[in-house]
Amino acid sequence: MIDQEAFEFPRLPVQLYNTESRHKEIFRPHADNHVKMYTCGPTVYNYAHIGNFRTYVFEDILRRTLKFFGHQVTQVMNLTDVDDKTIRGAIESDQTIADFTQPYKNAFFADIQSLGIERAENYPAATDFIPHMIDFIQKLLAKGIAYKSKDKSIYYSIDKCPKYGRLSHLKLDELQVGAGEARVASDEYDKENASDFVLWKGYDPSRDGKIYWESPFGPGRPGWHLECSTMAMHLLGETLDLHVGAVDNIFPHHENEIAQSEAHTGKTFARFWVHSEHLIVNHKKMSKSLGNFYTLRDLLDKGYSGIEVRYMLMHTHYRTQLNFTFDGLEGAKTSLHRLRDFVQRMQELADPKEASTKRCHLSLKQAIEQFSQGMADDLNISVALAALFDLMHAINVLHEKKKLNGGDASEVLYVLQKLNRVLGIFTFEDETAIPPYLQEMLEQREEARKSRDWTLADQLRHEITASGYVIEDTDQGPRLKKA
Ligand code: AMP
Ligand code: ZN
């Protein structure tokens, strides 16, 4: 039996860099340790590229870290299935927008699974929320914050928002853009063009084919920014704890989300904003438009695994640009395999029934401490991974000197499994034993059910499922089985 008390994992407060304040701050959810987190998701007009996946892997590490330190997380990630790109794609392929986007939605879910990304609690598609979006726009029109233009589109009037620019630290007076002087119908534009943005894009048959929705202000389709605000607030409430994306989302997307949401509710839209840096290629952002991208499928075809790509994407701090090269990918692959070989050696030796020599205790405790401190410090993955490599070296030395027994190896595996809840890079497939932390969760779930705490019971079941196990009811009580 593992002496679990010997390896206590500290529940540290998590510091994150808040884009709005431009400072590292302790992040705490508003209520009950429950983090309501919104993450901008993919536009499903094509396969996502590994630049997009750098952001999604980062968000996965963030989510796992919050859970590691004892938070409950409800994450929503939207699927943008209506915008100019999906409409164009549907028209070009002579399909409905639903038929055109479905294969890319499916591909996205297959890709995140290969990358070891835990599923969010909810993946709303924009086309399922059009009535809510129309309602949202009507509220802004009634408040005089939105107006209809000659092209029958509805725009948000940024001069009605005194704090416009507070996330991106934009000074509107310096840009000298006044009300109604400039309007942007496109969803994406840069800071030089700060201007009234589109909430509802009036239908244009030559551009939109047969794709439009009816509304009290005429046929058309919602603007991208509005899609996120509507789904975020509908599913998570008027104030989110944490809103996350990549740095290119800060302006205009997130700035506009704040403006319209706060005009709607009069409340703070998101209490904390976190943004990750880009994956770049030769000093340029990896993007579809530049053509300098690889999809995950391209790399799988070249013989790399999803977890190798995951490791490459996550091993640089999220606020540093990461330059993609095949040499870099090879390097990441080599490091990952050293770690995985180590896990395998421990698995071959492990015997949880044997009493440990306690020789690994000091190294394990140091690893737990350093790993936890690193992750709690704005997800300092370099410190956390260094802790793991130091642990591997220390244990390898003992192993080579034949100073480890099966009990020691089981203790090492116990700690590695816990660290892996954040990293998601090991599979522990060779194990017959159920990971102890999952066993613990199963017991907690039984207690929650006995005390009729269905929310907690559901959350625990969800976590067990997300770790690749299912709960089986037997005559002897519930049991865990690999899914
Ligand atoms: P899109 O599908 O273009 O809306 O992008 C989906 C997400 O990927 C957004 O949060 C983008 O900010 C992010 N993203 C796009 N390109 C990159 C890149 N090269 N590196 C990191 N994140 C990116
Ligand atoms: Zn968004």
Side-chain angles (χ1 to χ4, degrees):
M1 274 301 282
I2 309 281
D3 176 9
Q4 297 185 7
E5 275 169 28
F7 310 111
E8 247 194 275
F9 281 71
R11 292 205 159 183
L12 302 178
V14 181
Q15 291 213 56
L16 295 171
Y17 183 86
N18 187 350
T19 309
E20 187 167 352
S21 68
R22 300 279 201 270
H23 286 295
K24 258 200 259 182
E25 295 171 29
I26 291 182
F27 167 74
R28 284 201 181 88
H30 178 64
D32 306 331
N33 252 4
H34 181 175
V35 181
K36 297 185 205 169
M37 165 166 160
Y38 187 83
T39 42
C40 292
T43 307
V44 280
Y45 73 109
N46 208 326
Y47 298 107
H49 58 67
I50 55 167
N52 304 130
F53 284 123
R54 181 184 188 199
T55 300
Y56 306 140
V57 168
F58 152 68
E59 290 163 348
D60 179 55
I61 298 282
L62 173 57
R63 165 195 168 89
R64 287 164 175 265
T65 302
L66 292 170
K67 288 182 10 178
F68 182 77
F69 290 116
H71 295 291
Q72 185 191 330
V73 177
T74 300
Q75 180 190 357
V76 173
M77 176 176 276
N78 68 296
L79 303 173
T80 303
D81 59 354
V82 48
D83 78 328
D84 284 338
K85 290 181 266 195
T86 49
I87 291 178
R88 206 180 309 129
I91 292 171
E92 279 167 11
S93 60
D94 197 21
Q95 282 175 300
T96 63
I97 202 154
D99 286 346
F100 172 70
T101 54
Q102 192 59 49
Y104 300 117
K105 290 181 184 171
N106 297 345
F108 172 72
F109 289 116
D111 287 354
I112 61 171
Q113 180 155 357
S114 318
L115 288 163
I117 294 177
E118 276 184 4
R119 298 274 296 216
E121 280 60 32
N122 212 323
Y123 290 98
T127 49
D128 290 332
F129 287 84
I130 306 275
H132 302 87
M133 293 169 195
I134 292 172
D135 196 42
F136 195 133
I137 297 171
Q138 280 189 297
K139 295 228 164 65
L140 295 185
L141 281 168
K143 286 187 177 178
I145 291 163
Y147 63 91
K148 195 165 187 173
S149 67
K150 283 198 193 105
D151 65 355
K152 300 203 169 69
S153 296
I154 311 283
Y155 286 88
Y156 180 98
S157 174
I158 58 172
D159 73 332
K160 299 272 165 49
C161 178
K163 290 189 187 157
Y164 191 81
R166 83 168 194 253
L167 181 69
S168 47
H169 294 208
L170 236 177
K171 296 206 169 47
L172 273 193
D173 44 350
E174 285 174 16
L175 288 169
Q176 297 182 319
V177 179
E181 284 174 22
R183 276 192 286 273
V184 194
S186 160
D187 286 323
E188 287 170 89
Y189 49 93
D190 60 30
K191 289 186 189 178
E192 310 311 314
N193 293 318
S195 43
D196 293 356
F197 59 90
V198 77
L199 299 166
W200 185 260
K201 206 159 166 170
Y203 175 55
D204 171 353
S206 64
R207 183 193 61 209
D208 302 329
K210 293 181 195 134
I211 301 170
Y212 64 85
W213 283 261
E214 290 294 351
S215 82
F217 23 85
R221 59 105 174 153
W224 171 43
H225 316 301
L226 186 83
E227 294 179 7
C228 275
S229 284
T230 308
M231 292 185 277
M233 293 202 291
H234 184 75
L235 293 163
L236 292 170
E238 290 174 338
T239 299
L240 320 173
D241 291 303
L242 187 53
H243 196 315
V244 191
V247 284
D248 60 323
N249 292 145
I250 298 173
F251 190 90
H253 186 46
H254 290 164
E255 196 69 61
N256 291 350
E257 279 189 39
I258 294 177
Q260 64 204 359
S261 307
E262 297 192 354
H264 181 344
T265 65
K267 294 185 184 149
T268 301
F269 174 52
R271 299 173 52 249
F272 214 105
W273 291 87
V274 177
H275 293 93
S276 59
E277 260 298 347
H278 285 144
L279 184 69
I280 56 167
V281 186
N282 292 330
H283 310 290
K284 293 209 174 76
K285 176 187 165 194
M286 179 175 283
S287 68
K288 293 261 166 56
S289 55
L290 291 175
N292 59 352
F293 67 92
Y294 289 95
T295 62
L296 178 64
R297 279 127 211 274
D298 294 333
L299 299 184
L300 299 182
D301 285 347
K302 287 182 188 293
Y304 295 98
S305 71
I307 298 299
E308 288 162 2
V309 178
R310 173 187 180 84
Y311 189 82
M312 182 270 293
L313 293 174
M314 67 181 242
H315 83 295
T316 301
H317 189 255
Y318 76 93
R319 286 195 289 117
T320 308
Q321 287 189 337
L322 169 61
N323 191 36
F324 175 73
T325 60
F326 277 95
D327 281 350
L329 179 54
E330 279 295 321
K333 178 176 169 172
T334 308
S335 305
L336 176 65
H337 284 265
R338 281 172 55 214
L339 288 170
R340 290 190 139 193
D341 289 347
F342 169 56
V343 170
Q344 199 181 335
R345 277 197 296 283
M346 291 302 111
Q347 284 173 331
E348 283 159 9
L349 183 64
D351 179 358
K353 288 187 219 85
E354 197 171 348
S356 92
T357 68
K358 301 196 176 176
R359 281 197 187 105
C360 304
H361 279 206
L362 188 60
S363 301
L364 288 169
K365 284 180 181 169
Q366 275 171 352
I368 293 169
E369 184 71 20
Q370 196 188 332
F371 182 92
S372 305
Q373 300 232 343
M375 290 314 289
D377 178 14
D378 195 28
L379 313 190
N380 193 332
I381 191 79
S382 312
V383 169
L385 287 175
L388 186 55
F389 278 97
D390 288 349
L391 175 68
M392 178 175 77
H393 291 309
I395 303 296
N396 277 344
V397 169
L398 288 173
H399 191 32
E400 275 157 29
K401 290 187 186 160
K402 307 241 177 313
K403 287 192 168 170
L404 288 190
N405 71 13
D408 298 325
S410 300
E411 287 178 347
V412 174
L413 283 175
Y414 171 77
V415 171
L416 290 177
Q417 280 173 12
K418 288 247 188 183
L419 304 188
N420 196 48
R421 291 170 74 178
V422 171
L423 300 172
I425 52 176
F426 306 127
T427 49
F428 297 105
E429 251 162 20
D430 297 341
E431 281 203 323
T432 45
I434 304 292
Y437 77 89
L438 284 180
Q439 198 58 46
E440 263 171 48
M441 279 188 192
L442 184 68
E443 283 156 24
Q444 283 167 12
R445 178 172 176 268
E446 277 314 289
E447 277 169 31
R449 279 158 57 102
K450 275 185 205 140
S451 55
R452 301 185 157 266
D453 185 347
W454 307 119
T455 318
L456 179 63
D458 272 357
Q459 168 76 12
L460 288 161
R461 183 179 47 75
H462 181 84
E463 296 216 4
I464 290 170
T465 321
S467 304
Y469 284 80
V470 286
I471 302 171
E472 223 182 19
D473 279 314
T474 69
D475 295 344
Q476 287 82 42
R479 240 196 242 154
L480 290 180
K481 210 179 80 177
K482 260 210 169 280

